[in-house]
Amino acid sequence: MTLATHWHYWVVIALMMTGLHIVIARRNYVKKLMGLSIFQVSVIMLYVTMGKVEGGTAPVYVMKGEGHDAVPNLEIAYSNPVPHVLMLTAIVVGIATMALGLALVVRIKESYGSVEDDVVIEKDRAEEEALES
Amino acid sequence: MNELKAHFPVLLVVVPLLTAPLLALIRHKHAVRVLALLSALATAVIGWGLVIAAREQVEPLSYHLGGWPPPIGIEYVVSQASAFVVAIVSSIAALGLLLGTRETRREVTGGQQHLFYAAYLLCLAGLLGMAITGDAFNVFVFLEISSLSTYSLVAMGNRRRAFSAAFNYLILGTIGGTFVLIGIGLLYQVTGTLNVADIAQKVQALENLAQDSHNTTLLVAFAFMIVGLGLKLAVFPLHQWLPGAYAEAPAAVSAFLAGTATKVIYFQLLRTTVVFFGAAHVFGALRFGTHVLMPLSIAGMFIGSIAAVYQPTLKRMLAYSSVGQVGYLTLALSFGTEAGVQAGLLHLGAHAVTKAGLFCVVAAIVAGVGSNRIQRLHGLGRRMPIVAFAFVLGGVGLIGVPGTAGFVSKWALLQAAFASEHYLVAGLVLLSSLVAVVYVWRVVEVMYFRAPPVGEKSTPDRMAMVPALVLLGASLLFGLFPDPVVELAADAAHQLFLQPVDVPPVPVGGHG
Amino acid sequence: MSELPLEAVLFMFLLVVGIVVGRLRNLFGAAMLTGIFSFLSAGLFTLLTAVDVAFTEAAVGAGISTVLFLATLALTDDTERPSERSWLAIGVVSVTGLALFFGTFDMPSFGDPEAPIHKGVGQHYLMHSWDEIGLPNVVTSVLASYRGYDTFGELAVVFTAGIGVLLLLRSKSAVMGAKAKPIPARSRAPYVREMPIVRAVAKVMLPFIMLFALYVQAHGDFGPGGGFQAGVVFAAAFILYGLVWGPRAVQRIAPERLLEGGMAFGLLLYGGVGVAALFAGGTFLDYSAFTPDHPSHGQHWGIFLVELGVGITVSAVMLVIYFVFTARPRPRLPKKRGPLAPPRLTAVPELPVDHSKERPAP
């Protein structure tokens, strides 16, 4: 294991942690979702780096031969198609989550007047105290 | 009919999954409710049919989706354990639907019921799909289906807090889901396959080779999957989202989720530790059970139950109680033995039925009194006697009084603890059950020993009591006649521990 | 490796952008940077020969996601309050990052063709998909057939998001059956609509965008593409139209009812193909059951139909989400302008326009 052979993974890990940090550290809900987006894209990067084959081309067959007799050239190297397929799904799941999250943020803003975590928690606490007394 | 039965594994998921878009097309207020109910009932029937079919043979049922044999294609695997789980989940889903759109926002009751029920059925399909799939990535996809629909469903509660609770759940749930995704990716990188049985074989081969040194990628894959699942299961200390979500969600959603979501995730945790990575390795070499899961479970058991004592509303109390109950579930798993898994499965069933029933009772209370705040329930024993009694039934089920399903599962838990010589742990289980007595008694005392406020009317709600009584009745039934279920759980646990079935090597050419 | 410098540069940009997104309190800027992050990732994926993934990331991450963030920011605050250092975040990130770093020790070298990951099912797909299915794009074979059930689940995820957003944001008035209130004057976009250059270019591009979407839908068998990408690009055409001429205009050609129907129809089509396979004697989504004598013909038909279902539902859901976000009434209180907010857009001074020759608005 050397820097040369593994640096891709390490940079991707750094990116993941950048995203995760934003999600946890920032109080603004929209900012949290941005961090989540970065985190998820970085995970996709992880899978894609796993699927890369050195000297491999995209997993679309390069054909040899003409017309109906064309067959794929299986001698050359292709990158692994499986991580690509999985990541297409992951991207879609990511946007679905983002859309729902942003819709929730809009409703929170309308009901609480703010999209900052500490303000929302404080308002909830105050409301609970009022109900208890 | 036999033709149809062969496709039960996929129909279990496809029926609710395809009914959802149908509901989105049909908008008629009452038609959608009936259609949703019919769909859930059909799913429950299929679920129980699968239990019967799975019990008939030693190996799990296998269904090749797309006609491709595993590991080329995705496989559905119906083991006795997963059949047990899906039968319970689909039954609770059908019963929860009887609660309808109580306590939901005005937008829903005003014309969006079809979307509400569609989301409900999608959640069900997601949970079921997760339980019976034999493909690691497919677990993630259906996990996300159920999670996303859950976020929307929780947000439909009628207080503004439903939004913040749902958002909090979304953030933590997505982090959990992404951790699971990372774990699956690392696992795939090590094994080259996504089929569960194939993974189990390859992982075991690697572990046998490695002896003392552990493959770090495999170890980290395991860690990420466990943490991700732990977040979704609300294992202490990752439980922070659960009380808000369960308390603010509408009645049908709380009842449904409390009885199903955590159970299916727990089952996935069971499979990940016992099957994917091999029980011997996880609990033996890694000492994951005794060093990690056990302390966290015990902490969860106590913290959940103690917090429940101080909650002002019934829903919050029941939510924190669930955190405690999850502690029991993971404790059962932490022994790493068949007896432990059997106890875990039994408690999964017992708690699902009891907690779902209790949330149904709370729905009836809210409909009758207008609030679930404990201070407002003075004299409920006299104002709504059946409802109050039902609550007591559920409460004793939570404590584990003999005669309830809760007792059967706690007893199995204690037995498993003794079998592994964890006597102190057994004592702690008993101690935490005493805490449950405290929070149940608190409610009972208010209901029966305080005078009802003068002039307050309570309209009883028959519809909400039907699922409550069915579920709590089931708890009693299995408490009094436990043998069939105990035997089922034992067989199911045994089957999980069996060596992975030999998966044929990747075939060369030819279709299936 | 001649790509190494380019990869390194892209990664460096990505790191910088990621860090800046976290620190930038001007959310408008942060949203654009998040889009740039996705865009750079798409470039990186192309370099790493994941062309299908790159395409989808560009369309979804850099495109739709950015639009949604901006739409949300229009309805909420555009500046973030300062937050203190979070020790929890630093702790969690350190532990997680170290764990992952530790996990890379036993990972195969980047690009190693002998890695186990490439010896498993991936190899089977590359070696045999031509005989079993017969499509040049192996990713499509895997996505739509071998792992077609996953894609079915994925489509259900999209549908779930559509339903969720509808439940959350469809305005009360629309739900209660009253006629939709006109969008308040302040939020109409006169600025954009009256710029002749924007209008002209948009008008020219729209048909090409839609044509490209149809091309991507059909051509997914032969190159990067398929239902998801096609659906997103198709929706993008309508969203562009809506950005320039206002959501009203889009509503006229694609009414919400139609879109909701489309949402459901695509998923039902996909499931329908699966169920049809059951009746044809195979298991769910076993396309070969349609043509037992020539299994690959059945595969082609099955893949065509399910990809169509995907395209329909995805475009419908993207459009529904766009509608629902833009139709949400803007907050009536004046937004507090923080020190870092972008300058308020001022109306373009009226240019002398000859109305007599103008065609009626679309």
Side-chain angles (χ1 to χ4, degrees):
Chain A
M1 181 188 76
T2 67
L3 182 69
T5 57
H6 280 61
W7 71 269
H8 289 83
Y9 302 133
W10 297 337
V11 178
V12 170
I13 292 174
L15 287 170
M16 284 201 269
M17 292 305 108
T18 311
L20 188 58
H21 181 264
I22 297 175
V23 178
I24 304 179
R26 298 287 168 248
R27 304 266 124 243
N28 183 297
Y29 288 153
V30 180
K31 186 54 92 64
K32 277 185 192 276
L33 286 172
M34 288 180 193
L36 200 60
S37 171
I38 292 180
F39 182 43
Q40 289 181 311
V41 176
S42 308
V43 174
I44 292 168
M45 258 183 247
L46 179 70
Y47 270 74
V48 170
T49 53
M50 282 174 5
K52 166 87 170 128
V53 171
E54 187 173 329
T57 178
V60 178
Y61 289 133
V62 173
M63 310 297 283
K64 54 183 183 192
E66 291 298 319
H68 275 297
D69 298 322
V71 280
N73 181 350
L74 294 175
E75 313 294 320
I76 60 180
Y78 296 101
S79 281
N80 194 333
V82 177
H84 301 179
V85 174
L86 303 182
M87 286 308 98
L88 282 181
T89 306
I91 293 175
V92 171
V93 168
I95 186 70
T97 312
M98 221 36 64
L100 269 179
L102 290 170
L104 279 170
V105 167
V106 169
R107 291 307 296 262
I108 290 177
K109 169 70 181 177
E110 287 174 8
S111 332
Y112 285 89
S114 161
V115 286
E116 300 276 337
D117 203 17
D118 35 10
V119 174
V120 168
I121 291 179
E122 184 51 42
K123 289 200 173 181
D124 278 343
R125 212 187 46 77
E127 192 183 52
E128 186 63 26
E129 270 178 23
L131 277 170
E132 269 301 282
S133 52
Chain B
M1 189 55 197
N2 265 331
E3 259 279 313
L4 198 62
K5 272 224 279 227
H7 296 294
F8 266 16
V10 76
L11 286 176
L12 181 77
V13 177
V14 166
V15 164
L17 191 54
L18 286 182
T19 313
L22 269 179
L23 290 181
L25 285 176
I26 306 168
R27 284 129 175 277
H28 185 256
K29 221 160 80 156
H30 298 295
V32 292
R33 190 165 170 194
V34 170
L35 191 55
L37 200 56
L38 282 174
S39 175
L41 276 170
T43 312
V45 167
I46 297 176
W48 286 106
L50 282 174
V51 172
I52 298 172
R55 298 273 287 159
E56 278 168 9
Q57 52 183 71
V58 177
E59 286 128 36
L61 305 168
S62 167
Y63 189 86
H64 300 174
L65 291 156
W68 304 106
I72 308 296
I74 296 174
E75 182 189 25
Y76 262 7
V77 175
V78 185
S79 60
Q80 294 187 22
S82 46
F84 179 60
V85 171
V86 300
I88 292 180
V89 166
S90 48
S91 310
I92 293 183
L95 287 167
L97 271 174
L98 289 175
L99 289 178
T101 51
R102 276 179 184 70
E103 298 178 37
T104 53
R105 316 195 66 86
R106 243 180 310 134
E107 292 104 281
V108 174
T109 48
Q112 303 241 72
Q113 291 96 335
H114 57 294
L115 296 177
F116 180 77
Y117 289 120
Y120 190 100
L121 286 178
L122 283 168
C123 187
L124 175 63
L127 290 172
L128 294 174
M130 205 184 5
I132 57 172
T133 184
D135 182 281
F137 192 76
N138 205 232
V139 168
F140 172 71
V141 175
F142 279 80
L143 175 64
E144 288 304 305
I145 294 179
S146 70
S147 298
L148 284 174
S149 43
T150 304
Y151 308 145
S152 335
L153 286 170
V154 168
M156 289 300 108
N158 52 19
R159 300 207 293 177
R160 69 178 181 184
R161 255 193 259 197
F163 294 139
S164 45
F167 186 78
N168 195 26
Y169 185 14
L170 183 144
I171 294 284
L172 289 173
T174 307
I175 294 178
T178 312
F179 273 24
V180 170
L181 184 61
I182 294 174
I184 294 174
L186 294 176
L187 195 56
Y188 175 59
Q189 193 178 31
V190 173
T191 58
T193 176
L194 290 165
N195 179 277
V196 170
D198 205 12
I199 289 176
Q201 264 194 317
K202 296 214 159 78
V203 168
Q204 207 173 49
L206 272 169
E207 286 161 2
N208 291 340
L209 267 172
Q211 304 282 4
D212 284 324
S213 72
H214 304 292
N215 182 314
T216 63
T217 313
L218 205 54
L219 198 59
V220 172
F222 178 66
F224 270 88
M225 287 194 75
I226 296 298
V227 173
L229 288 172
L231 256 173
K232 296 234 169 214
L233 184 56
V235 173
F236 177 84
L238 306 166
H239 62 283
Q240 193 243 357
W241 57 268
L242 192 140
Y246 279 20
E248 303 302 326
V253 176
S254 305
F256 175 44
L257 288 181
T260 61
T262 41
K263 314 299 171 277
V264 177
I265 309 263
Y266 173 67
F267 179 63
Q268 187 54 37
L269 187 67
L270 266 177
R271 281 209 295 174
T272 306
T273 48
V274 173
V275 180
F276 282 38
F277 290 90
H281 183 70
V282 167
F283 295 102
L286 291 180
R287 277 188 283 267
F288 171 66
T290 46
H291 284 48
V292 178
L293 201 50
M294 204 177 281
L296 287 177
S297 310
I298 296 174
M301 268 159 48
F302 279 102
I303 292 181
S305 302
I306 294 176
V309 175
Y310 292 100
Q311 299 306 310
T313 62
L314 284 177
K315 280 167 121 178
R316 286 219 158 229
M317 184 190 91
L318 290 176
Y320 274 101
S321 159
S322 286
V323 174
Q325 300 289 329
V326 165
Y328 292 125
L329 285 173
T330 49
L331 184 67
L333 175 60
S334 71
F335 298 133
T337 60
E338 263 187 50
V341 172
Q342 179 191 8
L345 286 173
L346 280 171
H347 197 64
L348 184 155
H351 182 236
V353 163
T354 310
K355 205 38 93 53
L358 275 169
F359 270 102
C360 291
V361 173
V362 173
I365 293 179
V366 170
V369 177
S371 161
N372 72 97
R373 206 155 273 278
I374 298 182
Q375 293 309 315
R376 299 268 305 270
L377 302 178
H378 287 234
L380 202 70
R382 244 162 290 168
R383 286 149 71 185
M384 295 164 70
I386 302 181
V387 174
F389 177 66
F391 188 86
V392 172
L393 253 184
V396 299
L398 281 182
I399 298 169
V401 167
T404 62
F407 173 72
V408 176
S409 61
K410 283 247 173 85
W411 181 246
L413 184 60
L414 290 170
Q415 279 187 310
F418 280 137
S420 311
E421 296 178 12
H422 293 292
Y423 302 111
L424 176 61
V425 170
L428 289 172
V429 169
L430 288 171
L431 194 60
S432 56
S433 304
L434 286 179
V435 181
V437 175
V438 176
Y439 64 71
V440 172
W441 174 253
R442 193 175 151 228
V443 180
V444 168
E445 197 253 331
V446 168
M447 289 198 301
Y448 286 100
F449 295 98
R450 305 262 183 100
V454 181
E456 276 211 26
K457 279 197 298 171
S458 317
T459 38
D461 186 344
R462 303 263 152 67
M463 208 44 183
M465 285 309 289
V466 170
L469 290 171
V470 170
L471 287 166
L472 294 170
S475 163
L476 264 185
L477 188 66
F478 291 117
L480 296 170
F481 304 104
D483 293 323
V485 186
V486 170
E487 199 192 307
L488 170 59
D491 291 339
H494 181 67
Q495 195 184 42
L496 275 180
F497 274 78
L498 286 175
Q499 293 305 314
V501 176
D502 273 292
V503 175
V506 171
V508 181
H511 180 85
Chain C
M1 280 198 289
S2 55
E3 295 156 354
L4 182 57
L6 196 50
E7 280 172 15
V9 166
L10 275 173
F11 271 123
M12 206 174 59
F13 267 99
L14 282 165
L15 268 170
V16 170
V17 169
I19 294 173
V20 174
V21 167
R23 301 182 65 90
L24 196 60
R25 284 173 48 218
N26 175 347
L27 291 175
F28 177 75
M32 297 312 293
L33 282 177
T34 311
I36 289 178
F37 190 92
S38 292
F39 189 63
L40 290 172
S41 312
L44 187 66
F45 296 151
T46 316
L47 272 183
L48 295 174
T49 69
V51 287
D52 261 285
V53 183
F55 193 151
T56 315
E57 179 62 37
V60 170
I64 300 284
S65 185
T66 312
V67 168
L68 286 181
F69 270 112
L70 293 178
T72 306
L73 286 174
L75 295 168
T76 66
D77 314 312
D78 49 17
T79 320
E80 181 188 3
R81 289 196 352 194
S83 49
E84 321 107 16
R85 175 171 301 178
S86 163
W87 289 109
L88 175 68
I90 295 178
V92 169
V93 164
S94 310
V95 170
T96 313
L98 276 168
L100 279 169
F101 176 65
F102 178 63
T104 60
F105 288 3
D106 283 328
M107 273 194 199
S109 303
F110 174 71
D112 178 8
E114 297 303 311
I117 191 179
H118 303 303
K119 297 288 169 200
V121 281
Q123 192 171 57
H124 175 92
Y125 297 143
L126 284 171
M127 291 295 127
H128 299 286
S129 75
W130 183 255
D131 299 320
E132 291 175 345
I133 298 178
L135 296 178
N137 187 351
V138 185
V139 170
T140 301
S141 299
V142 179
L143 182 86
S145 179
Y146 289 117
R147 297 190 63 91
Y149 192 69
D150 248 4
T151 310
F152 181 50
E154 184 185 347
L155 196 61
V157 168
V158 172
F159 182 72
T160 307
I163 294 216
V165 173
L166 273 175
L167 272 173
L168 284 166
L169 287 186
R170 194 189 248 153
S171 68
K172 276 203 209 111
S173 53
V175 170
M176 305 298 197
K179 275 199 101 75
K181 288 206 272 277
I183 298 172
R186 198 185 301 142
S187 60
R188 246 183 274 133
Y191 175 60
V192 180
R193 187 164 50 207
E194 269 140 41
M195 292 198 86
I197 294 180
V198 174
R199 271 181 26 213
V201 172
K203 270 192 195 167
V204 165
M205 287 187 67
L206 283 173
F208 286 103
I209 296 177
M210 285 169 50
L211 197 59
F212 183 60
L214 291 175
Y215 166 79
V216 168
Q217 172 82 49
H219 208 69
D221 298 350
F222 304 93
F228 286 102
Q229 299 91 328
V232 172
V233 173
F234 195 73
F238 286 81
I239 292 178
L240 174 63
Y241 188 51
L243 286 175
V244 178
W245 277 278
R248 265 304 122 107
V250 187
Q251 275 263 13
R252 251 173 270 152
I253 29 171
E256 229 174 280
R257 281 289 167 109
L258 179 67
L259 292 179
E260 276 176 52
M263 249 172 65
F265 177 69
L267 185 59
L268 284 169
L269 177 58
Y270 203 124
V273 170
V275 172
L278 290 182
F279 283 111
T283 60
F284 191 74
L285 290 177
D286 182 0
Y287 311 134
S288 302
F290 296 139
T291 55
D293 307 318
H294 291 281
S296 55
H297 285 186
Q299 291 291 332
H300 290 185
W301 269 107
I303 292 179
F304 171 70
L305 285 172
V306 301
E307 289 273 25
L308 190 63
V310 169
I312 294 173
T313 291
V314 169
S315 50
V317 168
M318 293 297 151
L319 274 175
V320 160
I321 293 180
Y322 163 74
F323 268 143
V324 142
F325 267 89
T326 51
R328 196 78 186 162
R330 302 295 161 87
R332 267 168 275 117
L333 303 163
K335 295 192 285 199
K336 286 207 279 283
R337 314 290 303 181
L340 301 175
R344 192 186 282 281
L345 299 169
T346 50
V348 175
E350 284 287 333
L351 301 165
V353 178
D354 185 2
H355 287 279
S356 57
K357 297 227 189 65
E358 205 178 60
R359 275 179 285 146

